[in-house]
Amino acid sequence: MIARTSAVIEAGGVLGEVSCTPPLTLRQVHGDTAGRCELRLVGTAAGPLAGDDLSISLRLRAGARATLAATGASLAQGRDHAGTEDGRDRHGTGGHGTGGHGTGGHGTGGAAATLAIRADLADGADLVADPGTLVVCRGSRVDVHVELTLGAGATVQWRELIVLGRTGEPAGRATLRWDVTRLGRPVLRQFVDLADPMLTAWGGLTARRRVLACALICDSDPARAARTVVASAMAVAQRVDDHTVLVTVLDDDATGATRTLEELCVRAQG
């Protein structure tokens, strides 16, 4: 399945344009913060499944503020678990694991699913994004690409949570690519390969931990300069430049990884 979803957010929290292709659906909801556009990423089918090509594009105009959050986790399934032709699993539960990262639909063959998320922030724009947990089940592969382009004074907080396999089952495979620029200059280029068993077994990558939690924080406020914080060998906030920090946590428990991630985000911006 090929699915393309996009949205344009204007200053004042106005959702100027939105175009959704199932199963990638964006919904605007009421928020408590005036002038901020609250968006929810809703999945409408199982997946991502093998061969899916999914993308989301967000464009924030100058001074626009927005929050993107998922309504649930995504369950990436391989060819052996793709189920029926309408995208349901073997038990016929059409919405299982729907939500964040956009859920796939009709998988084809054993090819990797791809998920590309791009956010363009004009000058002074602000985005907080958490596309939700991506559970990569046995036999599946998902290639995730997060691309962020920032204008002058733009700020972003972006979180990613990847879980390799459901509890008690072998892990699927995934890759995560970060591509971040500000005013046309590279800020971060990173590729994390969780698809190679030899690499995932290496202590320098995951040491066989099944949960990878990441947060990228770009803040132009000079009073909140980024700094490196090492909480443990499995939890590090790395200063990228004066205003950017990349926080990475490895764990076997998604709840624990998320808690540690939030604590490190606060400390890194102290």
Side-chain angles (χ1 to χ4, degrees):
M1 173 179 284
I2 297 175
R4 303 285 182 260
T5 290
S6 62
V8 177
I9 299 94
E10 309 285 351
V14 176
L15 181 58
E17 300 176 23
V18 63
S19 174
C20 300
T21 303
L24 298 171
T25 303
L26 290 173
R27 291 284 186 259
Q28 186 177 16
V29 300
H30 175 73
D32 296 328
T33 304
R36 190 172 197 91
C37 182
E38 292 281 345
L39 297 175
R40 296 297 177 264
L41 181 58
V42 182
T44 54
L49 303 182
D52 283 351
D53 180 1
L54 314 176
S55 72
I56 302 172
S57 175
L58 302 175
R59 182 178 295 274
L60 277 67
R61 303 294 193 192
R65 297 187 296 160
T67 298
L68 172 69
T71 60
S74 295
L75 195 66
Q77 302 180 74
R79 179 175 54 188
D80 295 339
H81 301 277
T84 63
E85 292 183 356
D86 63 358
R88 295 184 175 91
D89 64 23
R90 292 181 177 180
H91 302 288
T93 54
H96 182 64
T98 62
H101 280 294
T103 52
H106 309 276
T108 57
T114 60
L115 173 62
I117 309 179
R118 178 185 174 96
D120 295 292
L121 281 68
D123 296 354
D126 175 77
L127 175 64
V128 177
D130 183 352
T133 304
L134 176 63
V135 181
V136 188
C137 299
R138 177 183 60 190
S140 66
R141 171 168 174 161
V142 184
D143 295 325
V144 181
H145 184 195
V146 179
E147 184 176 2
L148 308 174
T149 63
L150 310 177
T155 62
V156 63
Q157 295 185 39
W158 193 288
R159 285 161 174 73
E160 291 288 330
L161 182 61
I162 297 176
V163 179
L164 297 178
R166 291 177 288 197
T167 302
E169 89 171 10
R173 299 178 295 161
T175 64
L176 173 60
R177 182 184 299 276
W178 292 96
D179 186 356
V180 184
T181 60
R182 183 184 291 277
L183 298 176
R185 294 186 175 185
V187 174
L188 176 66
R189 299 277 196 269
Q190 186 187 72
F191 179 74
V192 181
D193 188 350
L194 303 176
D196 187 330
M198 294 186 65
L199 286 177
T200 54
W202 173 48
L205 188 62
T206 67
R208 294 190 181 276
R209 299 310 198 268
R210 57 186 290 266
V211 178
L212 171 66
C214 301
L216 180 77
I217 302 173
C218 297
D219 193 336
S220 59
D221 185 350
R224 304 184 64 177
R227 63 194 185 102
T228 296
V229 178
V230 179
S232 71
M234 302 296 169
V236 177
Q238 180 180 354
R239 177 186 178 277
V240 178
D241 62 22
D242 289 345
H243 307 294
T244 307
V245 62
L246 178 66
V247 185
T248 305
V249 175
L250 298 171
D251 207 320
D252 283 319
D253 175 72
T255 301
T258 301
R259 182 173 55 250
T260 302
L261 186 76
E262 296 305 320
E263 292 172 353
L264 263 178
C265 286
V266 173
R267 292 176 61 187
Q269 291 186 289

